Amino acid sequence: PGLAKDPSVRTSRTANITITEEFIGGTVSAEAPWAARLKACGFQVTQLKKVACGSISGGTFRAGDIIGNNATQASATKTGIFVRVASGTLWYVPVTGTFASADTVYNYATSQVSTTLSGSPANGGWGYTPQTETDASAPASLTMEHRIGGEIHQAVACRGKVTLSMKMGEVPLWNWDFTGVPVTSSDAPASGSAMTSIPAVGGTPLPVKGMPIAINGVTPVLTMVDISIDNALSQRATIANNDFQASGYQGTRITDRNVKVAVDPLYVAGSPLNVVKNALLGTTFPMSIEYGLTSHVNGCLVIGMPVVQQSPDVEHGDRDGEASVSLEMTAFRNAGDDDEIGIYHCF
């Protein structure tokens, strides 16, 4: 024997596909193209409702708040999850019952907020929340193709993870990272017609002109927000769906989920944001972000995280001569709730 090596034996393979996509598309009655990819990252969809409302009493609703038709949550017969309110219209995710005109709805935070509805609910867009998988579940996946001339490079059973990147003056981008099973008809890529045109979807996206973000009720000065759905992807079979059993391939499953947020606020000593205190004490707090307009062809994006905790590391820096900090936060589930993040597309 010597130091020379033998060739490797080709066994089962996986395909990795990365895509960068703008935030465009969707209507009040049809989901945006990116919604299919978000579902393949472990999310499920519910249709949002919107309803006319009066003035808000007692403070401010927060994205992710449970709302109901009684000041005491246990006595409420109609409930939902608050998304946003603007220009006399309230958006929410229906949970139980159906809100009606003249209902007064309340949240159940320490400082209770309320408003009285003045109309009947109508469809208002789409809400996406995490779906925790079990062996008996049948989660969404994708079939993805890359065509080069007459060659079709295809992968099936694709699952993934994603980072939504929002930077001041730029268009928000979905950065997708999928893993799937490569499919070939023989020992070479499949043959098919070349793609000659791509249909237009949605309208021209709006650049980020401001960062309407609330961190524990404070709106800091930011230039960027990155929200990462960092899923652990595992190639394994399931009880209900033994993917590609005959071929020896196993489908991709999401076996863990971490929701991370990175921001870069200006640092103000003693400000209500208290980044150093939060790092030391491990304080938890809510966080929400809003981008776009419901009147725009691409709609409005609202992201709510009811429980966020800042990492213990605070990186001080300089942005154009002003003191800034780089922060990373992790979103956690609410008491009795598995939705550490809600992504809402409002119209």
Side-chain angles (χ1 to χ4, degrees):
L3 298 179
K5 305 295 188 294
D6 290 328
S8 62
V9 176
R10 299 299 185 217
T11 58
S12 60
R13 298 182 299 129
T14 59
N16 180 250
I17 304 102
T18 58
I19 301 172
T20 297
E21 178 180 13
E22 295 176 341
F23 176 79
I24 59 172
T27 67
V28 73
S29 57
E31 296 178 75
W34 50 259
R37 288 171 275 288
L38 189 60
K39 292 175 189 175
C41 291
F43 281 72
Q44 57 194 342
V45 64
T46 304
Q47 189 153 50
L48 300 181
K49 296 294 182 180
K50 62 182 178 181
V51 61
C53 69
S55 58
I56 311 298
S57 301
T60 305
F61 286 110
R62 299 178 304 198
D65 278 351
I66 301 295
I67 56 174
N69 65 331
N70 191 288
T72 303
Q73 185 174 357
S75 300
T77 58
K78 308 170 186 178
T79 60
I81 299 172
F82 174 81
V83 174
R84 74 187 296 265
V85 64
S87 303
T89 301
L90 183 148
W91 281 258
Y92 68 96
V93 180
V95 178
T96 60
T98 303
F99 289 126
S101 184
D103 280 347
T104 297
V105 296
Y106 306 81
N107 72 344
Y108 302 107
T110 303
S111 299
Q112 194 166 67
V113 183
S114 65
T115 185
T116 299
L117 308 182
S118 57
S120 298
N123 292 338
W126 308 94
Y128 303 91
T129 53
Q131 178 186 19
T132 297
E133 298 176 15
T134 66
D135 278 339
S137 68
S141 63
L142 294 175
T143 295
M144 308 183 76
E145 287 186 359
H146 177 211
R147 297 197 178 196
I148 306 176
E151 289 185 351
I152 302 176
H153 299 264
Q154 186 182 77
V156 298
C158 297
R159 312 298 306 288
K161 49 191 174 180
V162 62
T163 297
L164 176 62
S165 181
M166 301 174 67
K167 292 181 172 59
M168 190 72 73
E170 299 181 17
V171 173
L173 297 174
W174 300 99
N175 296 293
W176 309 99
D177 186 347
F178 289 101
T179 297
V181 178
V183 175
T184 57
S185 58
S186 58
D187 294 331
S191 298
S193 60
M195 296 182 68
T196 57
S197 64
I198 300 175
V201 176
T204 303
L206 295 172
V208 177
K209 296 182 179 178
M211 286 286 182
I213 181 171
I215 304 176
N216 199 19
V218 179
T219 303
V221 179
L222 306 174
T223 66
M224 58 77 65
V225 178
D226 280 348
I227 301 172
S228 298
I229 313 297
D230 189 13
N231 294 323
L233 304 175
S234 174
Q235 298 291 116
R236 68 184 182 92
T238 70
I239 291 173
N241 182 17
N242 198 346
D243 300 288
F244 293 88
Q245 185 177 28
S247 67
Y249 291 118
Q250 297 181 2
T252 304
R253 299 301 308 275
I254 295 173
T255 56
D256 195 15
R257 179 177 65 240
N258 288 290
V259 179
K260 302 283 188 181
V261 184
V263 294
D264 67 339
L266 290 180
Y267 181 76
V268 179
S271 77
L273 196 56
N274 287 325
V275 295
V276 175
K277 181 179 179 180
N278 290 340
L280 292 173
L281 299 181
T283 308
T284 60
F285 43 84
M287 180 175 178
S288 62
I289 302 166
E290 185 169 318
Y291 156 81
L293 301 167
T294 55
S295 58
H296 189 267
V297 64
N298 293 323
C300 171
L301 180 69
V302 178
I303 299 175
M305 289 162 277
V307 178
V308 171
Q309 186 178 51
Q310 187 183 308
S311 76
D313 300 319
V314 179
E315 183 181 340
H316 290 268
D318 175 283
R319 188 166 75 228
D320 299 327
E322 296 181 299
S324 63
V325 287
S326 295
L327 304 177
E328 184 176 276
M329 294 169 278
T330 302
F332 297 95
R333 66 178 179 181
N334 204 340
D337 188 4
D338 196 30
D339 295 343
E340 65 266 52
I341 184 172
I343 300 175
Y344 309 106
H345 195 192
C346 305
F347 292 90

